[in-house]
Amino acid sequence: MISGSGIYRYGLSVFFILWVSFFIPLTGAQTIIEVGETNPPQNIVLLIVDGMGSAYVTPGSTPLALNGDPVDTPDVPFFENMILDGILLPQIIVPTPSTGPAHSVIITGFSGAEQELVGYDDATIYDVLKDKGFLCIAIMHNGDFSEMRNEQDIILHSPSNSILTPSLQVQVNDAGVPKDIIRGLEFWEQELPEYLEGTDGLDSYIAYSDWELDASRDIVSLMAGQHPDMKYILTINVGVVDRAGHYMGVDGYIGSIEGVNSKLKPLYSAARDSNTALVITADHGMAFKTPESSRGGHASEDYYSSEAITVPLLIISPNVVVGIENGNYGQEDLAPTLLSILDIPAQLRYSDGEAIPVKDYADLRVSVNTQSDVEIVRGSEIVSGGSGDTMYNFTGLKPKINYTVRVFNGKDTLEQSVHLNVDRLIRFETVVSNDDTIVCDSRTTSRYVASVLIFIVIIGGLLFIARIRD
């Protein structure tokens, strides 16, 4: 039986905790102010075409062999058509043109990333997206090292990484993965032999990529049909272009890129119809010693060249500016750019990359160490503002414009200028004098009243329980 003094002491403890919480700011609270329209995608498909160099798919570009002679380019009409619906960045520079490190850079945003870093807390886009309620799905041939596999909620991958003698396996890491998604990937696990039956040479490479892209399209359609409100990221690694470049030379390399191109339309359509961004890139490129080489490379010093370290980035999303952006960017910029497309502030612990300015709007977050009023000014015009908070998120601002941010706190007025080409966070440290007092605004008063009411309910409940036991 609970004694009266016990109830009293317990009640005081509860009240003390509630009283302290009244004075502690709510973690992560912010005022969101919609300045203009925003239209981020709900989901994202990240398609990594292993080994696909930028010059082979960029209109007007000519790849060069290591001896300086031009190399033939593949016929990729649908890839070129997709550029009309998105933005192509053909100059993405790879820090390390090798599959494991390059995949690590792509998902961590850190230019020096190795595979071990992927397993660290808060290191990858998957860590950030899981915190935002995203399901992480992957279908991968190559690049499926253990740290990458463990980042996924579910992954269909190839333990052997072989095309001639392939093996497949579904790995489920989260018990919350819907059963129909598990069944869907298990179905595609069994389908590959049918695709490969009766094929050899380049045809077997193309059949493998057909299988992978068909499976990916099916998963996008399944998510749209059965789980339309569930946010997800689907990571795909198509490994046949890399393998063809290594083992079948220039002709096989070009043919395999054309094979991938021929299967992009169904995946593109499924993504477009379900408010899903489609992002296509490569982990590295491929170099050939001559235009007729029977073997290519990318990782060794013998093959290190512009063709090996330059990859494309094509983003098709409802909120990007359409066209071709010829600026030079690093592969480490991809991860923060993916988060920016989703309107998610970058929280990658180890990233040294920055979001690429691809959106047709930008968000500005303003952090102040004390409750303050904020104004966003363009020229002499006050664009927007807010009052009484420490964190503000102004969304939908016109990008590539200079703004002035002003903060008012009592007698203090601070300001900073910012060129808002991408989403930005700026911080202010205001001076707080010793005689400052706590101002009880409506939000503070509400917290006080809520704390008192909770205290009364808890004490009343304890007294009622004690009375019953007596």
Side-chain angles (χ1 to χ4, degrees), residues 44-48 102-109 117-140 142-155 173-174 231-237 334-336 338-339 342 344 347-349:
I44 197 159
V45 172
L46 172 60
L47 171 57
I48 304 169
H103 278 78
S104 303
V105 173
I106 288 172
I107 64 174
T108 65
L117 180 65
V118 172
Y120 292 3
D121 291 341
D122 302 324
T124 72
I125 54 175
Y126 306 118
D127 296 321
V128 175
L129 294 178
K130 286 179 183 179
D131 287 342
K132 299 296 182 179
F134 279 67
L135 184 71
C136 297
I137 313 169
I139 302 175
M140 304 189 75
N142 264 10
D144 54 346
F145 50 89
S146 62
E147 291 85 357
M148 174 69 89
R149 294 196 301 271
N150 293 338
E151 285 291 294
Q152 311 304 320
D153 293 310
I154 183 170
I155 177 172
N173 297 321
D174 192 310
K231 298 179 292 185
Y232 70 91
I233 176 171
L234 171 61
T235 304
I236 312 159
N237 186 87
L334 179 53
L338 291 178
L339 296 178
L342 293 165
I344 296 175
Q347 304 167 43
L348 297 162
R349 178 174 292 183

Side-chain angles (χ1 to χ4, degrees), residues 18 34 72-73 133 153 267 324 363 366 405 414 419-420 424:
L18 294 171
E34 298 178 357
D72 288 340
T73 56
D153 293 310
L267 178 62
I324 298 177
D363 297 342
V366 180
V405 183
L414 304 176
H419 181 65
L420 201 64
R424 297 286 186 191

Side-chain angles (χ1 to χ4, degrees), residues 1-2 7 458-470:
M1 183 177 67
I2 304 175
I7 294 172
I458 291 174
I459 294 300
L462 290 172
L463 289 173
F464 179 73
I465 292 172
R467 196 168 186 180
I468 292 175
R469 292 189 176 183
D470 289 340

Side-chain angles (χ1 to χ4, degrees), residues 63-71 288-291:
L64 299 177
L66 294 174
N67 68 355
D69 292 338
V71 181
F288 300 95
K289 293 183 177 180
T290 71

